[in-house]
């Protein structure tokens, strides 16, 4: 390998594949040995392009000192130093640094979480090593690896094409060429530009049609993509709509708070309080009331939330999808592998001669020859394989439907590998949703005629056939009456929820290159049907029920037959107790927007849909005001995935094209995971609203307390450092605790929240206002009592400070739910009690740690003080509990006005 000609590798496009293989020291029939691959990986490193860090620690740190809060704190510190109050000035500087440190920690953790999100999507490659096919991580690829690619695959490294069939690739990410490029194994001139090197496939591009056997020529930084230092398909890092709403709201609140602070300053100065002191108070009040950490906290909570969802098999690629998940009103889902297990098993064959054959081990003698011919087509018209591992267990590689056909043929006694190796494939027309069939052409040694194998949808295959095989193995004309008879058999099988495929064969006499025209023009001989079972997944019916209870309609979009789809839909109760309304794709033909919207609004099942149909259905639902989640796995599903509000790709069977177009990837391809993801999205959104509720009601209560005390002529209730201390103790940890609240039991029994709803509705604003006013009144009452008991001074201010923190601790429990009692599921979130413990612990330091107590000017409370402080914690809970009980009674009373 060390003597390999670097020049040949760099110009692999211009040399025959065999020459490149010799230079790479690989036999494409067997691939590299595991030992050789390991040695090359050790020498060349992983197949990865090293990117610059997505976020800079220095940039985050500097960003902490560019906010309005820091400027206000700096101004307060400057004023303290200017007025010879060095202790206060130093303390404010410490608060400034603590504020910056907390902000830095939150943003740093959010950045780490976003980076972790990028790594949750595992890209794999199908390779040939030691003579067998296996699936490996794309990062483990090395030069010389034999890689098998099919439509929808992302090319995992630069590779020389050895063999191909109808191959086209999308190279827009590399060359900017928007039209798919036809590819083949023939070498091109060495001077050919990158965009015209048809004998090569490049890292980052995608296969949009056909299949190929390729040989890796460069990995990682040595690829064309690596040379230009470009990364593709990275997870979105822009702000979500929710984050932008909160950021805009925070900016508006800045002006409101600064206005109130100005009034407080003016009122205090006019009544004779020190101008510089009041300026510090006003600045400190503004600092405490401005929710400057709101956007960073939101990002962190979104990122941590979706990481939890990833552990439940739903990888959220774009944070903006979380908000959309909570708004979803329709799920358009595939059937096979999503609602069903995708564990295909051939249960029966219905031969063209009328015989029923149960799929058992061995072949029934009476039907042996005709069944063998059908199974031969199922082997040769098949791009999947079955390998045997070291312990002798079968390991299917490829499409589950195709591997089921191979397993059934092997159980009948056919040797799949031997049958394939005895022939040469000269043409392949892969299955796609438009033609609904697959065709391959094979030539045996010393055989004059080429053998054509065809499989696909029953109606399509029957239309392509002019003959069928009778009991004697003779091809006889296929009459219209016989065609209708076969279609009735197909409908009967589909009505039993069987997935039905039809098979045909044809001999092409004379010389042929297997061109598409020759194959399509040839009339086939119909051989019969294979019926496969694919039972609904465990838990799918319950997940459908949960979706319905959550106000979400489930619509099945499938390429399968209408009878099969309808049968599964009935089993899962997609009709919600009513008869399933199913439509065939032909019913959509010629429908205008209004008619299509009407059908989309009524139908529970759409059968035989193409990707174009899927896109039209999604658009029709969106035009009707629905928020649509749609699943997809193929190349042609990408437009519908992008068009939908939430695109969901299948992680196990999905193509890389579909995954890159999606917002969410399901690692288990399970419908239940979609419902869990919606529940997770609703929970994250609800928790963000909870901590917004907490921060705004706490801050408003604090502002109203100080504002009210000054307006009614009371002495200044809190000093600047005390205000800042309250902000430090009661903002961050309680908000984070609310952010990880477990899902409410009723969260999947609520209607989806409208995507355009105002974050702070009038009802929500009123709730925040009356709570803030109530909390301010409680603290103000405690302060009046303290003034009456202890007079103006440190003791009264200490009581006010401790009671203000007390009502905010009580508010933490109130904000866990707007309707449910705080005592229901009281211990379900241990982080709530951890946050309370931290707040109380910090407050104890402010009382009993002498240096801190001296800075904050606090005094040790007596027993009566502690009773008042305890009441300030309990009273907010009691008041809110009473209002919740009253509101719940009104909601449950049908006669209530």
């Amino acid at each position: 390998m060390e003597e390999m000609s670097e020049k040949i590798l760099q110009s692999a496009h211009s040399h025959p594949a065999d020459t490149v293989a010799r230079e790479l020291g690989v036999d494409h029939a067997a691939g590299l040995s595991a030992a050789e691959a390991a040695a090359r990986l050790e020498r060349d490193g992983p197949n990865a392009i090293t990117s610059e860090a997505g976020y800079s620690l220095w940039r985050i740190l500097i960003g902490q000192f560019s906010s309005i809060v820091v400027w206000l704190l700096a101004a307060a510190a400057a004023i303290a130093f200017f007025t010879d109050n060095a202790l206060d000035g130093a303390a404010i500087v410490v608060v400034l640094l603590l504020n910056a440190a907390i902000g830095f920690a939150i943003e740093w953790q959010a950045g780490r979480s976003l980076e972790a999100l990028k790594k949750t999507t595992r890209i794999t490659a199908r390779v040939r090593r030691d003579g067998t096919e296996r699936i490996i991580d794309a990062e483990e690829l090395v030069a010389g690896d034999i890689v098998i690619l099919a439509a929808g695959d992302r090319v995992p490294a630069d590779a020389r094409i050895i063999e191909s069939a109808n191959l086209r690739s999308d190279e827009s990410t590399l060359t900017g060429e928007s039209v798919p490029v036809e590819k083949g194994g023939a070498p091109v001139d060495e001077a050919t530009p990158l965009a015209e090197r048809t004998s090569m496939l490049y890292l980052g591009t995608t296969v949009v049609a056909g299949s190929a056997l390729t040989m890796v020529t460069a990995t990682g930084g040595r690829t064309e993509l690596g040379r230009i230092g470009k990364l593709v398909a990275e997870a979105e890092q822009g702000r979500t709509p929710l984050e932008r709403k909160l950021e805009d709201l925070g900016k508006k609140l800045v002006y409101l708070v600064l206005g109130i602070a100005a009034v407080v300053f003016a009122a205090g100065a006019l009544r004779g309080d020190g101008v510089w002191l009041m300026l510090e108070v006003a600045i400190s009040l503004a600092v405490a009331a401005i929710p400057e950490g709101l956007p960073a906290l939101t990002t962190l909570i979104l990122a941590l939330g979706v990481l939890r969802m990833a552990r439940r098999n739903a990888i959220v690629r774009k944070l903006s999808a979380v908000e959309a998940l909570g708004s979803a009103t329709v799920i358009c889902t595939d059937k096979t592998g999503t609602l069903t297990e995708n564990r295909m098993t051939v249960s029966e064959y219905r031969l063209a001669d009328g015989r029923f054959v149960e799929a058992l081990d061995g072949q029934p003698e009476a039907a042996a020859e005709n069944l063998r011919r059908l199974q031969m087509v199922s082997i040769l018209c098949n791009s999947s394989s079955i390998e045997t591992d070291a312990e002798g267990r079968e390991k299917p590689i490829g499409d589950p439907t195709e591997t089921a056909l191979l397993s059934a043929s092997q159980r009948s006694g056919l040797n799949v590998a031997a049958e394939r190796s005895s022939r040469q494939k000269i043409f392949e027309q892969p299955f796609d949703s438009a033609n609904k069939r697959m065709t391959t052409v094979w030539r045996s040694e010393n055989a004059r005629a080429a053998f054509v194998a065809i499989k696909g949808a029953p109606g399509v295959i029957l239309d392509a056939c002019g003959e069928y095989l009778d009991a004697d193995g003779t091809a006889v004309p296929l009459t219209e009456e016989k065609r209708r008879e076969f279609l009735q058999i197909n409908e009967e099988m589909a009505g039993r929820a069987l997935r039905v495929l039809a098979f045909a064969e044809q001999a092409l006499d004379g010389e042929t290159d297997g061109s598409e025209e020759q194959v399509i023009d040839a009339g086939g001989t119909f051989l019969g049907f294979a019926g496969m079972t694919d039972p609904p997944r465990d838990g799918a019916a319950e997940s459908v029920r949960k979706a319905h209870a959550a106000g979400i309609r489930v619509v099945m979009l499938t390429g399968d037959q209408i009878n099969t789809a309808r049968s599964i839909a009935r089993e899962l109760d997609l009709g919600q107790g009513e008869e399933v309304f199913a439509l065939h794709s032909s019913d959509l033909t010629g429908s205008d927007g209004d008619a299509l919207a009407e059908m989309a609004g009524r139908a529970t099942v759409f059968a035989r849909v193409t990707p174009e149909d899927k896109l039209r259905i999604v658009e029709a639902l969106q035009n009707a005001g629905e928020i649509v989640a749609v699943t997809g796995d193929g190349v042609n599903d990408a437009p519908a995935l992008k068009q939908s509000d939430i695109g969901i790709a299948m992680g196990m069977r999905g193509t890389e094209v579909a995954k890159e177009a999606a917002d969410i990837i399901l690692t288990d391809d399970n419908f239940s995971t979609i419902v869990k993801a919606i529940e997770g999205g609703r929970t994250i959104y609800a928790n963000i609203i909870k901590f917004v509720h907490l921060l705004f009601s706490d801050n408003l209560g604090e502002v109203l307390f100080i504002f009210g005390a000054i307006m009614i002529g009371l002495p200044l209730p809190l000093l600047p450092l005390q205000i800042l201390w309250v902000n430090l103790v009661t903002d961050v940890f309680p908000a984070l605790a609310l952010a990880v609240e477990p899902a409410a039991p009723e969260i999947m029994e609520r209607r989806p929240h409208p995507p355009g709803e105002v974050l702070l509705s009038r009802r929500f604003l009123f709730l925040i206002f009356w709570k803030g006013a109530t909390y301010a009144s409680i603290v103000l009452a405690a302060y009046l009592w303290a003034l009456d008991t202890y007079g103006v001074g440190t003791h009264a201010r200490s009581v006010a400070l401790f009671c203000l923190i007390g009502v905010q601790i009580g508010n933490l429990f109130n904000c866990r739910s707007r309707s449910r009692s705080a005592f229901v599921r009281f211990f379900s979130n241990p982080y709530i009690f951890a946050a309370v413990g931290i707040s109380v612990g910090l407050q104890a330091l402010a009382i009993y740690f002498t240096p801190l107590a001296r800075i904050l000017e606090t005094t040790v409370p007596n027993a009566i003080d502690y009773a008042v402080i305890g009441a300030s914690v309990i009273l907010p809970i009691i008041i809110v509990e009473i209002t919740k009980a009253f509101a719940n009674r009104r909601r449950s009373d049908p006669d209530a006005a």
Side-chain angles (χ1 to χ4, degrees):
M1 184 73 179
E2 291 182 359
E3 292 82 21
M4 181 195 313
S5 169
E6 189 67 25
K7 186 175 186 300
I8 289 181
L9 280 185
Q10 290 178 355
S11 57
H13 57 278
S14 64
H15 297 280
D18 289 343
T19 302
V20 179
R22 280 197 303 273
E23 293 295 335
L24 287 167
V26 63
D27 173 11
H28 64 75
L32 295 173
S33 67
E36 178 62 23
R40 295 186 185 189
L41 184 64
E42 177 69 24
R43 186 196 65 205
D44 298 335
N47 177 36
I49 302 173
T50 304
S51 63
E52 295 182 2
Y55 57 99
S56 162
L57 295 182
W58 281 109
R59 193 176 297 124
I60 294 173
L61 184 60
I62 292 169
Q64 303 311 309
F65 297 95
S66 61
S67 71
I68 188 169
V69 170
V70 171
W71 299 341
L72 289 171
L73 284 172
I79 291 168
F81 285 120
F82 179 73
T83 55
D84 294 327
N85 195 343
L87 186 61
D88 271 14
I92 292 172
V93 170
V94 170
V95 170
L96 186 153
L97 294 175
L98 281 172
N99 184 81
I102 291 170
F104 173 83
I106 290 172
E107 284 199 39
W108 176 66
Q109 183 59 51
R112 286 185 62 197
S113 300
L114 288 171
E115 290 294 312
L117 281 177
K118 295 179 187 177
K119 298 175 183 177
T120 53
T121 310
R122 177 172 169 259
I123 297 178
T124 59
R126 181 178 171 187
V127 301
R128 188 177 289 168
R129 286 184 181 173
D130 289 318
T132 62
E133 291 180 12
R134 62 189 69 176
I135 305 294
I136 65 170
D137 278 341
E139 286 197 2
E140 296 176 14
L141 285 174
V142 296
D145 258 326
I146 303 301
V147 178
I148 300 152
L149 296 168
D153 289 343
R154 181 179 174 188
V155 179
D158 288 2
R160 177 68 167 84
I161 298 168
I162 302 171
E163 299 172 1
S164 67
N166 295 347
L167 183 63
R168 294 200 305 275
S169 73
D170 177 358
E171 299 188 337
S172 56
T173 56
L174 183 66
T175 65
E177 175 59 59
S178 58
V179 178
V181 181
E182 291 190 5
K183 296 284 185 174
V188 296
D189 188 74
E190 185 173 349
T192 302
L194 181 69
E196 298 174 12
R197 295 176 187 173
T198 55
S199 59
M200 296 288 295
L201 290 170
Y202 293 104
L203 171 65
T205 63
T206 52
V207 178
V208 297
S211 59
L213 184 69
T214 66
M215 173 174 35
V216 174
T217 57
T219 60
R222 290 172 294 279
T223 62
E224 293 294 335
L225 197 59
R227 288 196 185 103
I228 60 176
K230 187 177 174 185
L231 289 173
V232 295
E234 291 193 348
E236 176 183 284
Q237 294 190 55
R239 291 202 178 278
T240 70
L242 178 60
E243 289 175 299
R244 287 195 293 270
K245 285 180 187 176
L246 290 172
E247 193 170 24
D248 291 343
L249 182 63
K251 288 176 181 177
K252 291 174 183 175
L253 285 174
V254 166
Y255 301 110
L256 176 63
V257 169
L258 288 177
I260 294 174
V263 173
V264 169
F265 165 75
L270 287 172
R271 72 177 190 177
D273 290 330
V275 172
W276 294 113
L277 173 64
M278 288 310 303
L279 190 56
E280 276 191 67
V281 169
I283 290 173
S284 300
L285 185 62
V287 168
I290 294 170
E292 76 285 350
L294 204 54
L297 276 170
T298 304
T299 302
L300 175 61
I301 290 159
L302 283 169
L304 292 177
V306 298
L307 283 173
R308 286 198 303 273
M309 290 166 68
R311 289 193 287 271
R312 300 177 72 185
N313 301 316
I315 297 174
V316 180
R317 295 183 68 247
K318 301 171 185 175
L319 293 183
S320 56
V322 174
E323 185 179 1
L325 277 169
S327 304
T329 58
V330 178
I331 302 173
C332 293
T333 176
D334 292 331
K335 174 182 71 69
T336 304
T338 306
L339 291 170
T340 63
E341 292 184 359
N342 202 24
R343 196 183 68 224
M344 291 288 184
T345 304
V346 177
S347 61
E348 65 185 64
Y349 294 98
R350 299 293 287 272
L351 301 180
D353 59 28
R355 282 179 283 194
F356 169 90
V357 181
E358 192 171 356
L360 301 170
D361 292 346
Q363 290 184 346
E365 274 307 313
E369 178 56 24
N370 285 5
L371 178 61
R372 188 197 68 79
R373 290 172 69 170
L374 185 152
Q375 289 182 330
M376 185 64 67
V377 170
S378 75
I379 291 172
L380 298 179
C381 192
N382 193 313
S383 57
S384 298
S385 61
I386 296 179
E387 302 294 341
T388 305
D389 62 19
E391 298 177 8
R393 293 174 302 192
E394 286 189 348
K395 183 180 179 182
I397 298 177
D399 179 76
T401 300
E402 293 194 330
T403 55
L405 293 170
L406 297 181
S407 294
S409 298
Q410 286 191 163
R411 291 199 308 272
S412 294
L414 290 175
N415 187 321
V416 172
E419 296 295 347
R420 287 177 170 176
S421 62
S422 67
R423 298 169 175 83
Q424 178 190 3
K425 182 162 64 174
I426 59 175
F427 173 80
E428 178 180 319
Q429 182 187 47
F431 178 91
D432 65 43
S433 54
N435 60 39
K436 290 186 170 60
R437 75 179 191 182
M438 177 180 180
T439 305
T440 58
V441 182
W442 298 76
R443 186 184 297 283
S444 300
E445 219 175 303
N446 302 320
R448 182 173 179 275
F451 179 77
V452 182
I454 312 169
K455 80 169 189 293
V460 172
I461 299 303
L462 283 167
D463 286 343
C465 292
E467 299 174 327
Y468 71 96
L469 206 64
D470 69 6
D472 298 329
T474 305
V476 297
L478 178 61
T479 63
E480 281 303 313
E481 182 181 353
K482 200 66 180 176
R483 195 187 307 274
R484 285 193 295 272
E485 181 183 322
F486 287 137
L487 288 173
Q488 287 174 356
I489 293 172
N490 162 56
E491 289 178 9
E492 182 273 325
M493 293 174 71
R496 290 186 282 118
L498 293 178
R499 185 171 191 188
V500 186
L501 285 178
F503 301 85
E505 66 178 21
Q506 175 68 36
L508 292 182
D509 293 329
E511 291 297 324
T512 179
D513 59 359
S515 67
E516 189 170 354
E517 290 77 10
Q518 285 179 292
V519 173
I520 292 174
D521 289 344
T525 300
F526 178 63
L527 301 177
F529 303 113
M532 286 166 277
T533 58
D534 184 20
R537 281 182 179 268
D538 289 340
E542 174 60 20
S543 295
V544 168
R545 188 202 63 75
K546 285 182 71 175
H548 289 158
I552 303 168
R553 193 159 66 93
V554 181
V555 178
M556 182 194 295
L557 306 182
T558 179
D560 216 334
Q561 300 189 78
I562 193 166
N563 288 342
T564 305
R566 186 187 284 116
S567 178
I568 294 291
R570 286 193 188 113
E571 200 169 340
L572 296 173
D573 192 25
L574 294 193
Q576 303 185 58
E578 299 180 2
E579 178 56 32
V580 170
F581 180 44
L583 290 174
H584 192 279
S585 62
S586 59
D587 297 322
L588 308 180
T589 305
S591 300
D592 59 18
D594 292 340
L596 186 58
E598 193 271 336
M599 285 190 283
R602 291 177 56 216
T604 308
V605 172
F606 288 91
R608 288 296 191 214
V609 294
T610 65
E612 292 77 13
D613 294 330
K614 185 181 285 191
L615 178 60
R616 290 182 65 207
I617 293 166
V618 170
E619 288 175 337
L621 288 167
Q622 288 175 322
N623 291 337
E626 305 283 4
I627 305 301
V628 185
V630 63
T631 66
D633 55 13
V635 179
N636 294 332
D637 286 331
L641 290 170
K642 288 182 178 179
Q643 174 65 34
S644 67
D645 300 284
I646 311 143
I648 303 171
M650 302 297 109
M652 295 175 68
R653 72 177 189 275
T655 62
E656 292 302 326
V657 174
K659 292 176 188 176
E660 290 179 12
D663 304 301
I664 297 172
I665 298 172
L666 305 184
T667 59
D668 60 355
D669 292 9
N670 194 337
F671 179 81
S672 296
T673 302
I674 300 175
V675 178
K676 289 176 186 174
I678 290 174
E679 182 178 353
R682 287 188 176 191
T683 302
I684 292 169
Y685 186 82
N687 288 349
I688 289 173
I689 298 302
K690 286 175 187 176
F691 85 70
V692 169
H693 183 186
L694 175 79
L695 290 179
F696 283 23
S697 53
D698 278 356
N699 291 358
L700 181 62
E702 188 175 339
V703 169
L704 290 178
F705 163 58
I706 296 171
F707 181 74
I710 291 175
M711 287 297 100
I712 63 175
L714 297 180
L716 186 65
L718 294 178
L719 297 174
L721 281 179
Q722 292 174 335
I723 296 170
L724 295 176
W725 176 255
V726 173
N727 189 47
L728 192 67
V729 170
T730 62
D731 265 12
V732 176
F733 299 110
L736 285 174
L738 277 182
V740 292
E741 271 281 290
E746 70 278 4
I747 198 162
M748 289 300 282
E749 296 172 7
R750 303 172 187 161
R751 301 293 301 175
H753 67 79
E757 72 176 351
V758 179
L759 193 62
L760 292 184
S761 63
R762 289 183 179 180
R763 184 177 176 184
F764 193 24
L765 281 172
F766 176 73
L767 179 67
I768 289 171
F769 178 79
W770 84 254
K771 280 187 176 181
T774 301
Y775 302 155
S777 300
I778 293 171
V779 182
L780 193 57
Y783 183 47
L784 285 166
W785 170 83
L787 287 172
D788 184 60
T789 305
Y790 305 116
V792 178
T794 301
H795 202 135
R797 283 201 186 101
S798 296
V799 170
L801 171 65
F802 302 149
C803 286
L804 180 60
I805 292 173
V807 297
Q808 294 187 357
I809 288 173
N811 189 39
L812 172 59
F813 291 94
N814 289 336
C815 290
R816 293 182 71 181
S817 173
R818 285 195 245 172
S819 59
R820 191 181 65 244
S821 168
F823 300 101
V824 175
R825 302 171 70 239
F826 188 67
F827 297 105
S828 62
N829 183 3
Y831 296 104
I832 292 286
F833 300 97
V836 170
I838 292 171
S839 296
V840 171
L842 289 172
Q843 198 54 41
L845 282 177
I847 296 171
Y848 298 108
F849 183 57
T850 305
L852 184 58
R854 188 178 300 121
I855 292 171
L856 293 175
E857 299 185 36
T858 61
T859 188
V860 178
N862 57 39
I864 297 176
D865 294 340
Y866 274 120
V868 172
I869 294 166
S872 72
V873 176
I874 296 169
L875 263 177
I877 298 175
I878 292 173
I879 293 169
V880 173
E881 284 294 305
I882 291 170
T883 61
K884 284 180 182 177
F886 180 72
N888 289 336
R889 188 177 303 161
R890 284 178 61 86
R891 275 195 289 267
S892 61
D893 182 3
D895 297 324

